[in-house]
Coordinates of all heavy atoms in Angstrom, one line a residue:
E6 N 0.8 -1.2 0.0 CA 0.0 0.0 0.0 C 0.9 1.3 0.0 O 0.3 2.3 -0.1 CB -0.9 0.0 1.2 CG -2.0 -1.0 1.2 CD -2.9 -1.0 2.4 OE1 -2.5 -0.3 3.4 OE2 -4.0 -1.5 2.3
G7 N 2.1 1.1 0.2 CA 3.0 2.3 0.1 C 3.2 2.9 1.5 O 3.7 4.0 1.5
G8 N 2.8 2.3 2.5 CA 3.0 2.8 3.9 C 4.4 2.6 4.3 O 5.1 1.7 3.8
E9 N 4.8 3.4 5.3 CA 6.2 3.2 5.9 C 6.0 3.1 7.4 O 5.3 3.8 8.0 CB 7.0 4.4 5.6 CG 7.3 4.6 4.1 CD 8.0 5.9 3.8 OE1 8.5 6.6 4.8 OE2 8.1 6.4 2.6
F10 N 6.6 2.0 7.9 CA 6.4 1.7 9.3 C 7.6 0.9 9.9 O 8.4 0.4 9.2 CB 5.2 0.9 9.6 CG 5.2 -0.4 9.1 CD1 5.5 -1.5 9.9 CD2 4.8 -0.7 7.7 CE1 5.6 -2.8 9.4 CE2 4.9 -2.0 7.2 CZ 5.2 -3.1 8.1
D11 N 7.7 0.9 11.2 CA 8.7 0.0 11.8 C 7.9 -0.6 13.1 O 7.0 0.0 13.6 CB 10.0 0.6 12.2 CG 10.0 1.8 13.1 OD1 9.1 1.8 14.0 OD2 10.8 2.7 12.8
M12 N 8.4 -1.7 13.6 CA 7.8 -2.4 14.8 C 9.0 -2.7 15.7 O 10.0 -3.1 15.2 CB 7.1 -3.6 14.4 CG 5.8 -3.3 13.6 SD 4.8 -4.9 13.4 CE 5.8 -5.8 12.2
K13 N 8.7 -2.7 17.0 CA 9.7 -3.1 17.9 C 8.9 -3.6 19.2 O 7.8 -3.1 19.5 CB 10.7 -2.1 18.2 CG 10.2 -0.9 18.9 CD 11.3 0.2 19.2 CE 10.7 1.4 19.8 NZ 11.7 2.5 20.0
M14 N 9.6 -4.4 20.0 CA 9.0 -4.8 21.3 C 9.7 -3.9 22.4 O 10.9 -3.7 22.4 CB 9.3 -6.2 21.6 CG 8.5 -7.3 20.7 SD 6.8 -7.1 20.9 CE 6.5 -7.6 22.6
E15 N 8.9 -3.3 23.3 CA 9.4 -2.7 24.5 C 8.8 -3.4 25.6 O 7.6 -3.2 26.0 CB 8.9 -1.2 24.4 CG 9.5 -0.4 23.4 CD 9.1 1.1 23.4 OE1 8.2 1.4 24.2 OE2 9.6 1.9 22.5
G16 N 9.5 -4.3 26.2 CA 9.1 -5.2 27.2 C 7.9 -6.1 26.6 O 8.2 -6.8 25.6
E17 N 6.8 -6.1 27.2 CA 5.6 -6.8 26.7 C 4.7 -6.0 25.8 O 3.7 -6.5 25.4 CB 4.8 -7.3 27.8 CG 5.5 -8.3 28.7 CD 4.5 -8.9 29.8 OE1 3.5 -8.3 30.1 OE2 4.8 -10.0 30.3
T18 N 5.2 -4.9 25.3 CA 4.4 -4.0 24.4 C 5.0 -4.0 23.0 O 6.2 -3.8 22.8 CB 4.4 -2.5 24.9 OG1 3.8 -2.5 26.3 CG2 3.5 -1.6 24.1
L19 N 4.2 -4.3 22.1 CA 4.5 -4.2 20.6 C 4.2 -2.8 20.2 O 3.1 -2.2 20.4 CB 3.7 -5.2 19.8 CG 3.8 -5.0 18.2 CD1 5.2 -5.3 17.8 CD2 2.8 -5.9 17.5
V20 N 5.2 -2.1 19.7 CA 5.1 -0.7 19.3 C 5.2 -0.6 17.7 O 6.2 -1.0 17.2 CB 6.2 0.2 19.9 CG1 6.0 1.7 19.4 CG2 6.1 0.2 21.4
L21 N 4.1 -0.1 17.1 CA 4.0 0.0 15.7 C 4.1 1.5 15.4 O 3.2 2.2 15.8 CB 2.8 -0.6 15.1 CG 2.4 -0.3 13.6 CD1 3.5 -0.9 12.8 CD2 1.0 -0.9 13.3
H22 N 5.1 1.9 14.7 CA 5.3 3.4 14.4 C 5.0 3.5 12.9 O 5.8 3.1 12.0 CB 6.7 3.9 14.7 CG 6.9 5.3 14.4 ND1 8.2 5.9 14.2 CD2 6.1 6.3 14.2 CE1 8.1 7.1 13.9 NE2 6.8 7.4 13.8
V23 N 3.8 4.0 12.6 CA 3.5 4.2 11.1 C 4.0 5.6 10.7 O 3.5 6.6 11.2 CB 1.9 4.2 11.0 CG1 1.6 4.4 9.5 CG2 1.4 2.8 11.4
K24 N 5.0 5.6 9.9 CA 5.7 6.9 9.5 C 5.0 7.5 8.4 O 5.0 8.8 8.2 CB 7.1 6.6 9.2 CG 8.0 6.0 10.3 CD 9.3 5.6 9.8 CE 10.1 5.0 10.9 NZ 11.5 4.6 10.5
K25 N 4.3 6.7 7.6 CA 3.5 7.3 6.4 C 2.3 6.4 6.2 O 2.4 5.3 5.7 CB 4.4 7.2 5.1 CG 3.7 7.8 3.9 CD 4.5 7.7 2.7 CE 3.7 8.2 1.5 NZ 4.5 8.1 0.2
C26 N 1.2 7.0 6.6 CA -0.1 6.2 6.5 C -0.6 6.3 5.0 O -0.8 7.4 4.5 CB -1.2 6.9 7.3 SG -2.8 6.2 7.1
P27 N -0.7 5.1 4.3 CA -1.1 5.2 2.9 C -2.4 5.8 2.7 O -2.6 6.5 1.7 CB -1.0 3.7 2.5 CG -0.9 2.9 3.8 CD -0.5 3.8 4.9
A28 N -3.4 5.6 3.6 CA -4.7 6.2 3.4 C -4.7 7.7 3.4 O -5.2 8.4 2.5 CB -5.7 5.7 4.5
I29 N -4.1 8.3 4.5 CA -4.0 9.7 4.6 C -3.2 10.3 3.4 O -3.7 11.3 2.8 CB -3.3 10.1 5.9 CG1 -4.2 9.7 7.1 CG2 -2.9 11.6 6.0 CD1 -5.5 10.6 7.2
H30 N -2.1 9.7 3.0 CA -1.3 10.3 2.0 C -2.0 10.2 0.6 O -2.0 11.1 -0.2 CB 0.1 9.7 1.9 CG 0.9 10.2 3.0 ND1 1.7 11.4 2.9 CD2 1.1 9.8 4.3 CE1 2.3 11.7 4.1 NE2 2.0 10.7 4.9
H31 N -2.7 9.1 0.4 CA -3.5 8.9 -0.8 C -4.6 10.0 -0.9 O -4.8 10.7 -1.9 CB -4.1 7.6 -0.9 CG -5.1 7.4 -2.0 ND1 -4.8 7.4 -3.3 CD2 -6.5 7.4 -2.0 CE1 -5.9 7.3 -4.1 NE2 -7.0 7.3 -3.3
M32 N -5.3 10.2 0.2 CA -6.4 11.2 0.2 C -5.9 12.6 0.0 O -6.4 13.4 -0.7 CB -7.2 11.1 1.5 CG -8.1 9.9 1.6 SD -9.2 9.8 3.0 CE -8.1 9.4 4.3
K33 N -4.7 12.9 0.6 CA -4.1 14.2 0.4 C -3.6 14.5 -1.0 O -3.9 15.5 -1.6 CB -2.9 14.4 1.4 CG -3.3 14.7 2.8 CD -2.1 15.0 3.6 CE -2.6 15.5 5.0 NZ -1.6 16.3 5.6
E34 N -3.0 13.4 -1.6 CA -2.5 13.5 -3.0 C -3.7 13.6 -3.9 O -3.5 14.3 -5.0 CB -1.6 12.3 -3.3 CG -0.3 12.3 -2.6 CD 0.5 11.0 -2.7 OE1 0.0 10.1 -3.3 OE2 1.5 10.9 -2.1
S35 N -4.8 13.0 -3.6 CA -6.0 13.1 -4.5 C -6.8 14.2 -4.2 O -7.9 14.4 -4.9 CB -6.8 11.8 -4.3 OG -6.0 10.7 -4.7
K36 N -6.4 15.1 -3.2 CA -7.2 16.3 -2.9 C -8.6 15.9 -2.3 O -9.5 16.7 -2.5 CB -7.2 17.3 -4.0 CG -5.9 17.6 -4.5 CD -5.6 19.1 -4.6 CE -4.3 19.4 -5.2 NZ -3.1 19.1 -4.6
Y37 N -8.7 14.8 -1.7 CA -10.0 14.4 -1.0 C -10.1 15.1 0.3 O -9.1 15.4 0.9 CB -10.1 12.9 -0.8 CG -10.1 12.0 -2.0 CD1 -9.5 10.7 -1.9 CD2 -10.7 12.4 -3.2 CE1 -9.5 9.9 -3.0 CE2 -10.6 11.5 -4.3 CZ -10.1 10.3 -4.2 OH -10.0 9.5 -5.3
A38 N -11.4 15.4 0.6 CA -11.6 16.0 2.0 C -11.5 14.8 3.0 O -11.9 13.7 2.7 CB -13.0 16.5 2.0
I39 N -10.7 15.1 4.0 CA -10.5 14.1 5.1 C -11.3 14.5 6.3 O -11.2 15.6 6.8 CB -9.0 14.0 5.4 CG1 -8.2 13.7 4.1 CG2 -8.7 12.9 6.5 CD1 -6.7 13.7 4.3
A40 N -12.1 13.6 6.8 CA -12.9 13.9 8.0 C -12.0 14.3 9.2 O -10.9 13.7 9.3 CB -13.7 12.6 8.3
A41 N -12.4 15.1 10.0 CA -11.7 15.7 11.1 C -11.2 14.6 12.0 O -10.1 14.7 12.6 CB -12.4 16.7 11.8
H42 N -11.9 13.5 12.2 CA -11.5 12.5 13.1 C -11.3 11.2 12.4 O -11.6 10.0 13.0 CB -12.6 12.4 14.2 CG -12.8 13.5 15.1 ND1 -11.9 14.0 15.9 CD2 -13.8 14.5 15.0 CE1 -12.3 15.2 16.5 NE2 -13.4 15.5 15.9
H43 N -10.8 11.2 11.2 CA -10.6 10.0 10.4 C -9.8 9.0 11.1 O -10.1 7.8 11.1 CB -9.9 10.4 9.1 CG -9.5 9.2 8.3 ND1 -10.4 8.5 7.5 CD2 -8.3 8.5 8.1 CE1 -9.8 7.4 6.9 NE2 -8.5 7.4 7.3
C44 N -8.7 9.4 11.7 CA -7.8 8.4 12.4 C -8.4 7.7 13.6 O -7.8 6.8 14.1 CB -6.5 9.1 12.7 SG -5.6 9.6 11.2
E45 N -9.5 8.2 14.1 CA -10.1 7.6 15.3 C -10.6 6.1 14.9 O -10.7 5.2 15.8 CB -11.3 8.3 15.7 CG -11.0 9.4 16.7 CD -10.4 8.9 18.0 OE1 -11.1 8.3 18.8 OE2 -9.2 9.1 18.3
H46 N -10.8 5.8 13.6 CA -11.2 4.5 13.3 C -10.1 3.5 13.7 O -10.4 2.3 14.1 CB -11.5 4.3 11.8 CG -10.3 4.2 10.9 ND1 -9.6 5.3 10.4 CD2 -9.7 3.1 10.4 CE1 -8.6 4.8 9.7 NE2 -8.7 3.5 9.6
T47 N -8.8 3.9 13.6 CA -7.7 3.0 14.0 C -7.8 2.6 15.5 O -7.8 1.4 15.8 CB -6.4 3.7 13.8 OG1 -6.3 4.0 12.4 CG2 -5.2 2.8 14.2
R48 N -8.1 3.6 16.3 CA -8.3 3.3 17.8 C -9.5 2.4 18.0 O -9.4 1.4 18.8 CB -8.4 4.6 18.6 CG -8.7 4.4 20.1 CD -9.0 5.7 20.8 NE -10.3 6.3 20.3 CZ -11.5 5.8 20.7 NH1 -11.6 4.7 21.4 NH2 -12.6 6.3 20.2
I49 N -10.6 2.7 17.4 CA -11.8 2.0 17.6 C -11.7 0.5 17.1 O -12.0 -0.4 17.9 CB -13.0 2.6 16.9 CG1 -13.3 4.0 17.5 CG2 -14.2 1.7 16.8 CD1 -14.2 4.9 16.7
V50 N -11.1 0.3 16.0 CA -10.9 -1.1 15.4 C -9.9 -1.9 16.3 O -10.2 -3.0 16.7 CB -10.4 -1.1 14.0 CG1 -10.0 -2.4 13.5 CG2 -11.6 -0.5 13.1
N51 N -8.8 -1.2 16.6 CA -7.8 -1.9 17.5 C -8.4 -2.3 18.8 O -8.2 -3.4 19.2 CB -6.5 -1.0 17.6 CG -5.7 -0.9 16.5 OD1 -5.9 -1.6 15.4 ND2 -4.7 0.0 16.5
E52 N -9.0 -1.4 19.5 CA -9.6 -1.7 20.8 C -10.7 -2.8 20.7 O -10.7 -3.7 21.5 CB -10.3 -0.5 21.4 CG -9.3 0.5 21.9 CD -9.9 1.8 22.4 OE1 -11.2 1.9 22.4 OE2 -9.2 2.7 23.0
S53 N -11.5 -2.8 19.6 CA -12.5 -3.8 19.4 C -12.0 -5.2 19.2 O -12.5 -6.2 19.6 CB -13.4 -3.4 18.3 OG -14.1 -2.2 18.6
I54 N -10.8 -5.3 18.5 CA -10.2 -6.6 18.2 C -9.4 -7.0 19.4 O -9.4 -8.2 19.8 CB -9.2 -6.5 17.0 CG1 -10.1 -6.3 15.7 CG2 -8.4 -7.7 16.9 CD1 -9.3 -5.9 14.5
C55 N -8.7 -6.1 20.0 CA -7.7 -6.5 21.2 C -8.5 -6.9 22.4 O -8.1 -7.8 23.1 CB -6.8 -5.4 21.4 SG -5.6 -5.2 20.1
R56 N -9.5 -6.2 22.8 CA -10.2 -6.3 24.1 C -10.6 -7.8 24.3 O -10.3 -8.4 25.3 CB -11.3 -5.4 24.3 CG -11.9 -5.4 25.6 CD -13.0 -4.4 25.8 NE -12.5 -3.0 25.6 CZ -13.0 -2.2 24.6 NH1 -13.9 -2.6 23.8 NH2 -12.4 -1.0 24.4
P57 N -11.3 -8.4 23.4 CA -11.7 -9.8 23.6 C -10.6 -10.8 23.6 O -10.7 -11.9 24.1 CB -12.7 -10.1 22.5 CG -13.0 -8.9 21.7 CD -11.9 -7.9 22.1
A58 N -9.4 -10.4 23.0 CA -8.3 -11.3 23.0 C -7.4 -11.1 24.2 O -6.4 -11.7 24.3 CB -7.5 -11.0 21.7
G59 N -7.8 -10.2 25.1 CA -7.0 -10.0 26.3 C -5.9 -9.0 26.2 O -4.9 -9.0 26.9
F60 N -6.0 -8.1 25.2 CA -4.9 -7.1 25.0 C -5.6 -5.7 25.1 O -6.7 -5.5 25.0 CB -4.3 -7.3 23.6 CG -3.4 -8.4 23.5 CD1 -3.8 -9.7 23.3 CD2 -2.1 -8.3 23.7 CE1 -3.0 -10.8 23.3 CE2 -1.1 -9.3 23.6 CZ -1.6 -10.7 23.4
E61 N -4.7 -4.8 25.3 CA -5.0 -3.3 25.3 C -4.3 -2.7 24.1 O -3.2 -3.1 23.7 CB -4.5 -2.6 26.6 CG -5.2 -3.1 27.8 CD -4.5 -2.5 29.1 OE1 -3.4 -1.9 29.0 OE2 -5.1 -2.6 30.2
A62 N -5.0 -1.8 23.5 CA -4.4 -1.1 22.4 C -4.5 0.4 22.6 O -5.6 0.9 23.0 CB -5.1 -1.5 21.1
T63 N -3.5 1.1 22.2 CA -3.6 2.6 22.2 C -3.0 3.2 20.9 O -2.3 2.5 20.2 CB -2.8 3.3 23.4 OG1 -1.4 2.9 23.3 CG2 -3.3 2.8 24.8
V64 N -3.4 4.4 20.6 CA -2.9 5.0 19.4 C -2.7 6.5 19.6 O -3.6 7.2 20.2 CB -3.7 4.7 18.1 CG1 -5.1 5.3 18.3 CG2 -3.1 5.3 16.9
E65 N -1.6 7.0 19.2 CA -1.3 8.5 19.3 C -1.1 8.8 17.8 O -0.2 8.2 17.1 CB -0.1 8.8 20.1 CG -0.1 8.4 21.5 CD 1.3 8.4 22.2 OE1 2.1 9.1 21.7 OE2 1.4 7.7 23.2
Y66 N -1.9 9.7 17.3 CA -1.7 10.0 15.9 C -1.6 11.5 15.6 O -2.0 12.3 16.4 CB -2.9 9.5 15.0 CG -4.3 9.9 15.5 CD1 -4.8 11.1 15.0 CD2 -5.0 9.1 16.3 CE1 -6.1 11.5 15.4 CE2 -6.3 9.5 16.7 CZ -6.7 10.7 16.3 OH -8.0 11.1 16.6
D67 N -1.0 11.9 14.5 CA -0.9 13.2 14.0 C -1.6 13.1 12.6 O -0.9 12.8 11.6 CB 0.5 13.7 13.9 CG 0.6 15.2 13.5 OD1 -0.3 15.6 12.6 OD2 1.5 15.9 13.9
Q68 N -2.8 13.4 12.4 CA -3.5 13.2 11.2 C -3.0 14.1 10.1 O -2.9 13.7 8.9 CB -5.0 13.4 11.4 CG -5.9 13.2 10.2 CD -7.3 13.0 10.4 OE1 -7.8 12.2 11.2 NE2 -8.1 13.9 9.8
E69 N -2.6 15.3 10.5 CA -2.1 16.3 9.5 C -0.8 15.7 8.8 O -0.6 15.8 7.6 CB -1.8 17.6 10.2 CG -1.4 18.7 9.2 CD -2.4 19.0 8.0 OE1 -3.6 18.9 8.3 OE2 -1.9 19.3 6.9
K70 N 0.0 15.1 9.6 CA 1.3 14.5 9.0 C 1.1 13.2 8.5 O 2.0 12.7 7.8 CB 2.4 14.5 10.2 CG 2.8 15.9 10.6 CD 3.8 15.8 11.7 CE 4.3 17.2 12.1 NZ 5.3 17.1 13.2
G71 N 0.0 12.5 8.8 CA -0.2 11.1 8.4 C 0.7 10.1 9.0 O 1.2 9.2 8.4
C72 N 0.8 10.2 10.4 CA 1.6 9.3 11.0 C 1.0 8.9 12.4 O 0.2 9.7 12.9 CB 3.1 9.8 11.2 SG 3.1 11.3 12.2
C73 N 1.4 7.8 13.0 CA 0.9 7.5 14.3 C 1.8 6.4 15.0 O 2.7 5.9 14.4 CB -0.5 6.9 14.2 SG -0.6 5.3 13.4
V74 N 1.6 6.3 16.3 CA 2.3 5.2 17.0 C 1.1 4.5 17.8 O 0.4 5.0 18.4 CB 3.2 5.8 18.1 CG1 3.8 4.8 19.0 CG2 4.3 6.7 17.5
Q75 N 1.2 3.1 17.4 CA 0.2 2.2 18.0 C 0.9 1.3 19.0 O 2.0 0.8 18.7 CB -0.5 1.4 16.9 CG -1.2 2.3 15.9 CD -1.8 1.5 14.8 OE1 -2.4 0.5 14.9 NE2 -1.7 2.0 13.5
R76 N 0.3 1.0 20.1 CA 0.9 0.2 21.1 C -0.1 -1.0 21.5 O -1.3 -0.7 21.6 CB 1.3 0.9 22.4 CG 2.4 1.8 22.2 CD 2.8 2.6 23.4 NE 4.1 3.3 23.2 CZ 4.2 4.5 22.6 NH1 3.1 5.1 22.2 NH2 5.3 5.1 22.5
F77 N 0.4 -2.2 21.6 CA -0.4 -3.4 21.9 C 0.2 -4.1 23.0 O 1.4 -4.4 22.9 CB -0.5 -4.3 20.7 CG -1.0 -3.6 19.4 CD1 -0.2 -3.0 18.6 CD2 -2.4 -3.6 19.2 CE1 -0.7 -2.4 17.4 CE2 -2.9 -2.9 18.0 CZ -2.0 -2.3 17.2
R78 N -0.5 -4.4 24.1 CA 0.1 -5.1 25.3 C -0.9 -6.0 25.9 O -2.1 -5.7 25.8 CB 0.7 -4.1 26.2 CG -0.3 -3.2 26.9 CD 0.3 -2.2 27.8 NE -0.5 -1.0 28.0 CZ -0.5 0.1 27.3 NH1 0.3 0.2 26.3 NH2 -1.3 1.1 27.5
P79 N -0.5 -6.9 26.7 CA -1.5 -7.7 27.4 C -2.3 -6.8 28.4 O -1.8 -5.9 29.0 CB -0.6 -8.7 28.2 CG 0.6 -8.8 27.5 CD 0.9 -7.4 26.9
A80 N -3.6 -7.1 28.5 CA -4.4 -6.3 29.4 C -4.0 -6.6 30.8 O -3.5 -7.6 31.1 CB -5.9 -6.6 29.1
A81 N -4.2 -5.6 31.7 CA -3.9 -5.8 33.1 C -4.6 -7.0 33.7 O -5.8 -7.2 33.3 CB -4.4 -4.5 33.9
G82 N -3.9 -7.8 34.3 CA -4.4 -9.0 35.0 C -4.4 -10.2 34.0 O -4.8 -11.4 34.4
C83 N -4.0 -10.1 32.8 CA -3.9 -11.2 31.8 C -2.6 -11.9 31.9 O -2.5 -13.0 31.2 CB -4.3 -10.7 30.4 SG -6.0 -10.3 30.2
G84 N -1.6 -11.4 32.5 CA -0.4 -12.1 32.5 C 0.4 -12.0 31.3 O 0.0 -11.5 30.3
R85 N 1.6 -12.6 31.3 CA 2.5 -12.6 30.2 C 2.1 -13.5 29.1 O 1.7 -14.6 29.3 CB 4.0 -12.9 30.7 CG 5.0 -12.9 29.6 CD 6.4 -13.1 30.2 NE 7.4 -13.2 29.2 CZ 7.9 -12.2 28.6 NH1 7.5 -11.0 28.8 NH2 8.8 -12.4 27.6
V86 N 2.2 -13.0 27.9 CA 1.9 -13.8 26.7 C 3.2 -14.5 26.2 O 4.2 -13.8 26.0 CB 1.3 -12.9 25.5 CG1 1.1 -13.8 24.3 CG2 0.0 -12.3 26.0
Q87 N 3.1 -15.8 26.0 CA 4.3 -16.6 25.6 C 4.2 -16.8 24.1 O 3.1 -17.0 23.5 CB 4.3 -18.0 26.2 CG 4.5 -17.9 27.7 CD 5.8 -17.3 28.2 OE1 6.8 -17.6 27.6 NE2 5.8 -16.5 29.2
A88 N 5.3 -16.6 23.4 CA 5.4 -16.8 21.9 C 5.5 -18.3 21.6 O 6.0 -19.1 22.3 CB 6.6 -16.0 21.3

């Protein structure tokens, strides 16, 4: 999709740093109007998938720049996840 990202583990937390969001950059290049809270869908979807699986998800985003940092970790009380 043309996105740029890196991933790393920080303890029990998977950190996904999206440096170039393909959706945001496509909409900007195409001169589409972007909803003010477009990036909130990432938080909503991540939380909805992670919660039943025993994980927590957070996202910090800069919609104007088209980048974000997403974090995934075991939910409190769920213990360590073994690979």
Side-chain angles (χ1 to χ4, degrees):
E6 293 183 343
E9 297 173 13
F10 68 94
D11 60 39
M12 291 186 290
K13 65 181 177 181
M14 292 297 297
E15 292 179 355
E17 292 186 342
T18 302
L19 172 64
V20 180
L21 170 62
H22 180 198
V23 179
K24 299 175 183 180
K25 180 182 178 185
C26 172
I29 293 291
H30 286 275
H31 170 74
M32 289 187 285
K33 284 184 169 207
E34 290 168 1
S35 300
K36 307 235 186 289
Y37 295 148
I39 303 172
H42 300 287
H43 172 80
C44 293
E45 274 295 292
H46 82 277
T47 300
R48 181 189 60 78
I49 293 165
V50 170
N51 286 354
E52 287 177 355
S53 297
I54 292 170
C55 288
R56 189 176 300 118
F60 285 82
E61 295 175 347
T63 61
V64 62
E65 300 166 23
Y66 57 84
D67 184 330
Q68 184 166 302
E69 184 59 33
K70 292 181 180 176
C72 59
C73 69
V74 177
Q75 301 175 45
R76 290 181 172 82
F77 305 89
R78 64 182 159 268
C83 287
R85 183 172 170 80
V86 175
Q87 298 295 321

